[in-house]
Amino acid sequence: MTLRSWATALRQRLLSTTEPPSHHDLPETFSISPDALRLALLEYASAHEAAMRWTGYAGLAFSLWGSLAVTDFSFTHPKFGLDGRQWQLIFVVAASLATFRALTALAKYLRKPSVDALIAQVLSRGEVAQEFRAICLLKRRSSSHDYRILVYRDALWDCFLLPHYNMANTSLRDINDPNLRDFIACEIGVSPDWVTIERTEGTELRSRKHSEFWRQGTIYRFTFFIVKLNRGAGFPSHLSDREFVHNGRDFSWLTLSEMEADPNTKNRNLDMTRHIADRATQLLRQPPDSL
């Protein structure tokens, strides 16, 4: 096998066993300390420097093998204390060693870290914010036959958001989770006994966007729960109003179009409204109305 064919076979084997990195969960922005970034860049530069050494060894090996091909080693009188056969043996050993080093360095070159590997290394040393949220979806069909969703005006984001519960480091039941029932009951001012809540399968939303809280790119995972309210004695009448205030929050029953008509909501929460629109059958048409 020639050097070229060996290198080609090695490169194909390495490429066939290397999976391209996934960009699905890459945040738009993140934070990292200067020391951590410096260390990642130094490791990347060191690996690239070691990978490029194969050219020097290859040039040396080529020169030595070329010298063996054109040099006459038949002389018997010593030159610098060695005869021709001894000099030939030294050249063969040196050329073989240089060839071996060139091939091992070439293998390192073919395995040199890519830009994607550098990004992954930097991300592993950085701080990436992640949010896991349970979306409590309350919806009803109005007299004009459009679907209206209960949202509130969030002061931090300055846009309309659906009620949501932090799922980080928690495990929620698929049906009538007590913590989730108590959360949404407090949000809208009803008894937890009147709340029925159930997870919808196949509607999870994964999104990447800037977080106003973290002040950096954040990976979000939203799980949708359909909320049904069972009317009982003393059921609050404000839930039937188009707009109402509870616990200092301004709630509204809005259509998706009305939400997106708000500039800040369209800019900051379009992933949510489009996701609901794309899965309207599962999230709006099939489940019973919340009221």
Side-chain angles (χ1 to χ4, degrees):
M1 180 181 290
T2 63
L3 175 61
R4 177 178 297 180
S5 61
W6 181 91
T8 301
L10 177 61
R11 184 175 187 275
Q12 290 176 347
R13 181 172 63 85
L14 290 172
L15 291 178
S16 65
T17 57
T18 304
E19 297 182 358
S22 173
H23 296 272
H24 184 74
D25 290 331
L26 288 180
E28 295 179 358
T29 60
F30 68 102
S31 61
I32 185 172
S33 68
D35 289 339
L37 178 60
R38 184 181 296 108
L39 181 59
L41 294 178
L42 285 175
E43 291 180 356
Y44 178 79
S46 178
H48 262 266
E49 182 181 355
M52 294 307 298
R53 291 174 185 168
W54 79 273
T55 56
Y57 288 118
L60 177 60
F62 181 80
S63 300
L64 291 172
W65 287 117
S67 298
L68 282 168
V70 300
T71 303
D72 182 12
F73 292 98
S74 62
F75 61 90
T76 57
H77 297 289
K79 293 183 178 180
F80 300 101
L82 301 175
D83 60 22
R85 294 185 61 183
Q86 292 172 327
W87 277 114
Q88 186 180 34
L89 179 60
I90 292 176
F91 269 72
V92 170
V93 172
S96 300
L97 181 60
T99 301
F100 174 77
R101 295 298 300 270
L103 294 177
T104 54
L106 178 61
K108 291 183 179 180
Y109 172 78
L110 296 176
R111 295 195 303 267
K112 68 182 186 297
S114 63
V115 174
D116 289 328
L118 173 61
I119 293 175
Q121 187 76 350
V122 171
L123 284 174
S124 67
R125 288 180 163 86
E127 299 176 0
V128 180
Q130 299 187 58
E131 291 278 356
F132 303 96
R133 296 282 171 175
I135 299 297
C136 299
L137 180 61
L138 293 92
K139 61 93 180 180
R140 69 180 189 184
R141 197 162 189 174
S142 67
S143 57
S144 58
H145 304 291
D146 53 5
Y147 289 100
R148 295 190 170 273
I149 299 171
L150 185 65
V151 295
Y152 70 94
R153 190 80 187 184
D154 186 83
L156 179 62
W157 286 71
D158 191 25
C159 69
F160 292 114
L161 299 179
L162 280 72
H164 50 88
Y165 180 80
N166 186 7
M167 292 177 60
N169 303 317
T170 62
S171 179
L172 299 180
R173 298 179 186 175
D174 288 345
I175 300 176
N176 289 338
D177 182 87
N179 293 323
L180 205 52
R181 291 177 68 191
D182 186 67
F183 163 76
I184 193 61
C186 292
E187 284 287 291
I188 59 179
V190 299
S191 170
D193 296 334
W194 300 345
V195 176
T196 300
I197 188 164
E198 182 175 355
R199 183 198 302 262
T200 60
E201 297 294 336
T203 59
E204 187 176 89
L205 168 62
R206 297 174 67 90
S207 181
R208 296 174 294 176
K209 56 185 176 181
H210 180 80
S211 169
E212 291 298 319
F213 177 79
W214 296 107
R215 295 293 180 181
Q216 67 180 53
T218 303
I219 299 173
Y220 287 90
R221 191 183 73 193
F222 300 106
T223 301
F224 288 82
F225 288 80
I226 301 296
V227 180
K228 177 74 169 63
L229 301 180
N230 307 305
R231 289 184 180 271
F235 192 85
S237 61
H238 66 258
L239 287 176
S240 300
D241 297 337
R242 180 75 174 270
E243 298 178 351
F244 64 90
V245 178
H246 181 70
N247 286 341
R249 279 186 170 175
D250 296 324
F251 286 90
S252 303
W253 291 93
L254 300 180
T255 65
L256 293 173
S257 298
E258 289 171 341
M259 281 186 258
E260 293 178 357
D262 177 73
N264 275 347
T265 302
K266 184 175 182 179
N267 181 45
R268 299 178 175 179
N269 210 26
L270 184 64
D271 58 332
M272 179 66 65
T273 58
R274 288 295 88 197
H275 183 79
I276 295 175
D278 292 340
R279 290 159 180 78
T281 299
Q282 296 166 277
L283 295 175
L284 299 180
R285 299 188 187 96
Q286 290 180 347
D289 283 355
S290 298
L291 299 184

